[in-house]
């Protein structure tokens, strides 16, 4: 669900992939503080194959996961996590998020 993360200016910018269309497509966080929801990304944000971009080191990945702990389900950042029957928010636990993504996996699920 935290598909993209980058450190800029010493701060972590993290884009959470939400369960769309029940929720906005993405939520942008900077250092675990929500900036806002994004439904349409600009063309300049469209990334080619993941293999063309650098991958976080194990320690960077651990840092991002620790920073974003508890922020998997949509709404947790506002204290009202989604618990709807019609989306998958309830499965977006920290344990689920920590699962490694196999090389080349471009869908919305680990493994």
């Amino acid at each position: 669900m935290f598909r993209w993360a980058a450190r800029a200016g010493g701060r972590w910018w993290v884009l959470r992939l939400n369960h769309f269309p029940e929720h906005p497509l993405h939520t942008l966080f900077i250092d675990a503080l929500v900036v806002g929801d994004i439904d349409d990304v600009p063309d300049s944000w469209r990334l080619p194959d993941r293999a063309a971009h650098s991958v976080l080191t194990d320690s960077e990945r651990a840092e991002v996961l620790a920073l974003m702990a508890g922020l998997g389900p949509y709404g947790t950042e506002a204290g009202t996590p989604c618990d709807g029957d019609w989306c998958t928010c309830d499965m977006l636990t920290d344990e689920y998020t920590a699962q490694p993504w196999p090389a080349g996996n471009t869908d919305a699920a680990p493994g």
Side-chain angles (χ1 to χ4, degrees), residues 11-87:
R11 303 174 78 189
W12 280 109
W13 292 56
V14 179
L15 207 56
R16 179 181 64 201
L17 179 62
N18 298 317
H19 191 269
F20 183 80
E22 287 80 10
H23 303 299
L25 183 58
H26 295 99
T27 301
L28 175 63
F29 295 86
I30 299 178
D31 283 343
L33 298 175
V34 70
V35 174
D37 292 324
I38 303 168
D39 278 320
D40 296 308
V41 296
D43 286 338
S44 61
W45 283 24
R46 303 211 187 276
L47 301 175
D49 185 354
R50 285 175 55 128
H53 301 283
S54 60
V55 177
L56 298 178
T57 65
D58 289 344
S59 63
E60 289 171 328
R61 184 175 186 277
E63 186 178 346
V64 170
L65 289 174
L67 181 69
M68 301 304 292
L71 293 174
Y74 185 80
T76 53
E77 63 277 6
T80 55
C82 172
D83 60 1
D85 293 337
W86 33 263
C87 75

